[in-house]
Amino acid sequence: MARAVSRRELDSRIVIVGCGIAGLAAAQRLLHQGFGSVQILEASGRSGGRIWSQGFARGLVEIGAQWIHGPSKQNAIFQLASQHDLLDEEAMSEENQALQIDGHPPNVSTYYSSSGRRIEPEIAAPVEELYSALSLKSREFFQSKTEPVRSLGEFLKLEIARCAEEWKDDEEMCNLKLALLNVEFKLECCISGTDSLDLVALQPFGEYVLLPGIDCVFPGGFKSLIDAMMKSLPKDVVSYNKPVKCIHWNGSFKASDAQEHSYSVLVECEDGETIPADHVIVTVPLGFLKEHYRTFIRPPLPASKINSIQKLGFGTNNKIFLEFEEPFWDPESQLIRLVWEDESPLLSARPDLQKEWFRKIFGFIVLQPVERHGHVLLAVLAGEEANFMESLSDSEVKNCLMQVIRRFTGNPAIPLPKSIVRSKWYSDQHIRGSYSYTAVGSSGDDIDIIAQPLPLPATKAQPLQVLFAGEATHRTFYSTTHGALESGRREADRLNNHYLPVTSMNAKI
Ligand code: 6YU
């Protein structure tokens, strides 16, 4: 179909800030639509952003995004990965795509407790089921438009206290059940990328859409998708190690080659270079925006956008990979959960960060299959403890985790791991955390406000200048790679539609 956008408009100069999956998706879509001048500026030395597969042990590990959450037809990452034939047979099966798992994949879990004993599945499984039921219940407030309390944490604690009153067990068993529930809280903190569930707003929690399909991974690493996307783009489209300092908009800037045309936006890089542009698509993480919104965009962002940037949550979820010579765990175990017997979600005391940061680790994920990875365990932890962990050395982290493993398994002879690698997302000055969540006081409206382009309000008469994409701009898939991918395409389409004459837009409808 012949497109109705004129040659002049297709020559518009478009700069994309950030080469994560949102930036790549925007570039791919714009070039496909016929826009000829697209440049991506990336602060780091690689593409992918929070998608980062690294060589470790026998294979690759994911420092950032790991799973396709809900791999099914509605998932844009799944679609793209399928087109490039990057997934294995199991992930592609219709059966896998149809299963609704409500965000908590079924794993074969082994439970170890802080007194060095195993907890029987007969005790642990009903507690897991209770938590899943409460978690689903907490999503219902989005539909009802009323909320009994403000945070997810408060709601879950009230429900747990109510259930606990009806337990007929002795005190020791009740405490064990509460300790098991506390593991679920820590896991939920990792899923939401938050320090505490008390920070997560209850009402919007259910607006995040859970897609069907059992979460799957990329056999060749998540980077295989980034590589495939990069191959589809012109070779020199990305400028690496090119951090942007400030985006000046609402101006009238001339290019240094003294062209007739004047540009409304000027991108100022940290190295002093200035790049005039007709449009800029900003895909930097919310963590970066929170820290730099005052100086990153001039004239300053409208108050509504600043308010939403401040209110929306952005926390840390960090990973620690340990490679062992031999496994000490059961071969069939997919998840080893660590149960601190003195903990309960109903107790508010926080452990001393320096002495007990490792208590925030909910357990270890066993990387499978062993032929692809070797004997590798992945510990995950969120929040302040995850930030603190970044300040420690590799050997401090390794030693702490070994003390925990030896104590919980009751086996002081387990040898130290051969190697360690871990993420430090909070220290990355261009990321500053892991992903967004709707914090208490915020809602999906804040996500939409952050996504609004400048100038506000956008009209056909006023050309779009600065557009916003990235995971934190997707109202129902925030915090995910599929949300980020869709947001990049959305902003490319916004630009394209902006240029379409009204008559051809009507024809499209
Ligand atoms: C997913 C998963 N996953 C684990 C961990 C992390 C994340 N996610 P990018 O940051 O990629 O790109 C921006 C670029 O901009 C970047 O390269 C910067 O360097 C650059 N930049 C910044 N400033 C700049 C400047 N000034 N100038 C130039 N460049 C600049 N997602 O689908 N599956 O398993 C996980 C996980 C540890 C850190 C994840 C996962 C999140 C994704 O990684 C992330 O959303 C996208 O990659 C972001 O892409 P982007 O392009 O927007 O930004 C009910 C309910 C609750 C809701 N939550 C549900 C949970 C779902 C999340 N689960 C996550 C779990 C894991 C393990």
Side-chain angles (χ1 to χ4, degrees), residues 378-508:
L378 160 60
V380 189
L381 75 166
E384 287 302 319
E385 290 84 347
N387 295 347
F388 177 77
M389 183 274 292
E390 297 185 14
S391 68
L392 301 173
S393 69
D394 278 355
S395 59
E396 281 170 314
V397 172
K398 205 159 48 166
N399 289 334
C400 271
L401 293 200
M402 278 322 289
Q403 279 177 24
V404 172
I405 287 172
R406 287 169 183 157
R407 171 174 173 179
F408 278 65
T409 55
N411 180 358
I414 296 175
L416 278 173
K418 274 168 69 177
S419 49
I420 178 171
V421 71
R422 61 201 164 111
S423 62
K424 293 183 180 174
W425 289 108
Y426 181 67
S427 312
D428 186 325
Q429 54 174 321
H430 294 106
I431 310 276
R432 303 304 274 149
S434 295
Y435 36 86
S436 60
Y437 63 95
T438 41
V440 170
S442 73
S443 73
D445 289 347
D446 291 299
I447 297 176
D448 285 346
I449 290 171
I450 294 175
Q452 282 170 357
L454 298 174
L456 295 177
T459 62
K460 280 260 165 199
Q462 255 184 323
L464 294 168
Q465 294 179 32
V466 187
L467 302 92
F468 296 84
E471 58 85 11
T473 69
H474 197 294
R475 184 159 183 151
T476 53
F477 292 151
Y478 58 86
S479 76
T480 65
T481 51
H482 50 285
L485 180 81
E486 280 196 4
S487 73
R489 290 176 175 173
R490 179 194 68 213
E491 294 312 309
D493 288 346
R494 194 195 296 275
L495 262 184
N496 194 48
N497 290 339
H498 182 74
Y499 279 130
L500 288 177
V502 177
T503 47
S504 95
M505 292 237 319
N506 290 342
K508 231 177 143 191

